[in-house]
Amino acid sequence: MQTQNLPRHIAAVGFDFDHTLGIDNKLERVAFLRLLDEGCDRGGRCIDTLSGEIERIDALLARQRAGEFTIEHAVDIFVSQRGMPHADRWIETYKAMCLDMVAAFVIPQPDARRTLATLRERNIPCAILTNGWSPLQQLKARRVGFEGPVLVSADLGVQKPDAAAFEALAHAMDVPLEELAYVGDTPASDVAGSMRCGLIGIWFDAEGASYETGLPRPSAVIHSLTELLALV
Ligand SMILES: [Mg+2]
């Protein structure tokens, strides 16, 4: 663990979800592939090889996750391109598939449950701020045993690294920005985004990623979630 200018008092902790508290094993990619499989049985068609379709799905999801359009619009684009009529029904099918897959696909970080339980015992308020759509992100959070508030970008109308997302988190937790720590794996959207908003940015470096130059340095770097317990 490395620390730098770490304030003495952390009153509350916000968490990123994906690749911080848990992983979803590309659940949404698989849901799109299942949608395609059903669609081809009902008059739709593939527009590429299967591996090409996977690349197209990943590119579509990347654009959606960057905030370019909603998940509903992503499904609409996907089914329209493949001649699958009644987009509204496919959107509902897609969402239901994703929710059904959470129990099997979502795996907690090995020390997530223990860390969250210890923070609860210490009466340190915790919340999740995550980019994605509801209720998928809420269900993923519950799957790893998280019991606190889950703020989802599609509901907020704004997503990380926008300062308004972190302000919404501080407001929901009723803590000053400077006493709120935010833990996440993505340097630009989690750490730099939260620090630019005045939060205590903690980088969860568990997957050997590099920290881009030019971004504000994190207040602390942890390599396992339990290391967080030494900071609060
Ligand atoms: Mg993440």
Side-chain angles (χ1 to χ4, degrees), residues 16-20 185-186 190:
D16 166 52
F17 181 80
D18 292 288
H19 295 267
T20 296
D185 66 296
T186 305
D190 296 328

Coordinates of all heavy atoms in Angstrom, one line a residue, residues 16-20 185-186 190, ligand 1:
D16 N -16.5 1.9 -6.5 CA -16.9 1.5 -7.9 C -17.3 0.1 -7.8 O -17.1 -0.6 -6.8 CB -15.6 1.6 -8.7 CG -15.7 0.9 -10.1 OD1 -16.7 1.1 -10.8 OD2 -14.8 0.0 -10.4
F17 N -18.1 -0.5 -8.8 CA -18.4 -1.9 -8.7 C -17.6 -2.8 -9.5 O -16.8 -3.6 -9.0 CB -19.9 -2.2 -9.0 CG -20.2 -3.6 -8.8 CD1 -20.4 -4.2 -7.6 CD2 -20.1 -4.5 -9.9 CE1 -20.5 -5.6 -7.4 CE2 -20.2 -5.9 -9.8 CZ -20.5 -6.4 -8.5
D18 N -17.6 -2.6 -10.9 CA -17.0 -3.6 -11.8 C -15.5 -3.6 -11.7 O -14.9 -2.5 -11.8 CB -17.5 -3.3 -13.2 CG -18.9 -3.6 -13.4 OD1 -19.3 -4.8 -13.4 OD2 -19.7 -2.6 -13.5
H19 N -14.9 -4.7 -11.4 CA -13.5 -4.9 -11.2 C -13.0 -4.3 -9.9 O -11.8 -4.2 -9.7 CB -12.7 -4.5 -12.4 CG -13.0 -5.3 -13.6 ND1 -12.3 -6.5 -14.0 CD2 -14.0 -5.3 -14.5 CE1 -12.9 -7.0 -15.1 NE2 -13.9 -6.3 -15.4
T20 N -13.9 -3.8 -9.1 CA -13.5 -3.4 -7.7 C -14.1 -4.3 -6.7 O -13.4 -5.0 -6.0 CB -13.9 -1.9 -7.5 OG1 -13.2 -1.1 -8.5 CG2 -13.6 -1.4 -6.1
D185 N -11.0 0.9 -9.6 CA -9.9 0.3 -10.4 C -9.4 1.2 -11.6 O -8.4 0.9 -12.1 CB -10.2 -1.1 -10.9 CG -11.3 -1.1 -11.9 OD1 -12.4 -0.7 -11.5 OD2 -11.1 -1.4 -13.0
T186 N -10.3 2.1 -12.1 CA -10.0 2.8 -13.3 C -9.4 4.2 -13.0 O -10.1 5.0 -12.4 CB -11.3 2.9 -14.2 OG1 -11.8 1.6 -14.4 CG2 -10.9 3.6 -15.5
D190 N -12.4 6.7 -12.0 CA -12.6 6.6 -10.6 C -11.7 7.5 -9.8 O -12.2 8.2 -8.9 CB -12.3 5.1 -10.2 CG -13.3 4.1 -10.8 OD1 -14.5 4.5 -11.1 OD2 -12.9 3.0 -11.1
Ligands
MG1 MG -14.4 -0.6 -12.4

